[in-house]
Amino acid sequence: MKSMLDRDAYVRLLELLEELSERAENGAVILVEGRKDVEALRRVGVSGEIVAISQKSISEICDSFMERDVIVLTDWDENGKKLEGNLRAILHNADYYIRKELIRIIGKWTTRVEDLPKLLKFFERNIKI
């Protein structure tokens, strides 16, 4: 039974990464915490604009992204949750759906965006598609 759930999670993860990439290629900006998150998304094939915001002030974030199509993809650990809450307060135009779905389907394996390449490799090695 577990392998069925893992296969479903793998397929859903691939769908979410494809959606993320398509949206970014069409002008959305993906906000992540740090450089490792940017690198991880690039390694799993996400193109488009990805911005690490951990070193940016709230006013910088507001000024840069208030009028943009924004996808928030912070980690789902304590720091990521706190940052997500701060972003919700200032970026009313932001989309949190992909983050929420990632937490739902892979939250039991990881709490960090930077782990996505390792998780994909794990799935590819261990799941029969």
Side-chain angles (χ1 to χ4, degrees), residues 3 5 14 16 25 31 33 38 40 50-51 54 56 66 69 82 90 108 113-114 125:
S3 64
L5 293 174
L14 292 177
L16 285 170
E25 288 170 10
L31 302 184
E33 289 180 53
V38 174
I50 306 170
V51 178
S54 60
K56 297 188 182 304
M66 188 68 80
D69 181 12
K82 182 178 176 188
I90 61 167
K108 63 184 169 186
V113 171
E114 69 186 70
R125 282 194 311 267

Side-chain angles (χ1 to χ4, degrees), residues 3-128:
S3 64
M4 283 288 279
L5 293 174
D6 290 351
R7 184 173 54 243
D8 291 346
Y10 175 66
V11 169
R12 184 66 181 128
L13 176 58
L14 292 177
E15 290 170 353
L16 285 170
L17 292 174
E18 178 67 26
E19 179 182 346
L20 191 61
S21 197
E22 284 177 15
R23 294 217 21 225
E25 288 170 10
N26 289 315
V29 60
I30 302 166
L31 302 184
V32 296
E33 289 180 53
R35 177 185 49 79
K36 289 180 181 178
D37 299 325
V38 174
E39 292 168 2
L41 289 176
R42 295 286 184 225
R43 289 202 327 261
V44 298
V46 176
S47 53
E49 188 176 1
I50 306 170
V51 178
I53 59 170
S54 60
Q55 301 302 313
K56 297 188 182 304
S57 70
I58 294 294
S59 63
E60 273 183 286
I61 294 168
C62 239
D63 293 344
S64 300
F65 306 110
M66 188 68 80
E67 303 299 320
R68 303 274 314 268
D69 181 12
V70 174
I71 300 168
V72 172
L73 198 56
T74 58
D75 294 341
W76 39 102
D77 58 9
E78 286 308 309
N79 286 339
K81 288 177 191 174
K82 182 178 176 188
L83 183 55
E84 184 235 2
N86 291 340
L87 292 172
R88 277 187 187 275
I90 61 167
L91 293 177
H92 304 289
N93 58 316
D95 183 338
Y96 300 88
Y97 172 75
I98 292 176
R99 179 181 183 274
K100 182 177 156 194
E101 280 293 289
L102 285 173
I103 293 167
R104 185 180 67 77
I105 62 165
I106 63 171
K108 63 184 169 186
W109 289 292
T110 187
T111 60
R112 304 179 317 171
V113 171
E114 69 186 70
D115 292 337
L116 285 173
K118 282 187 269 183
L119 188 59
L120 273 177
K121 281 187 177 135
F122 170 80
F123 279 146
E124 289 163 3
R125 282 194 311 267
N126 295 292
I127 294 173
K128 305 287 183 255

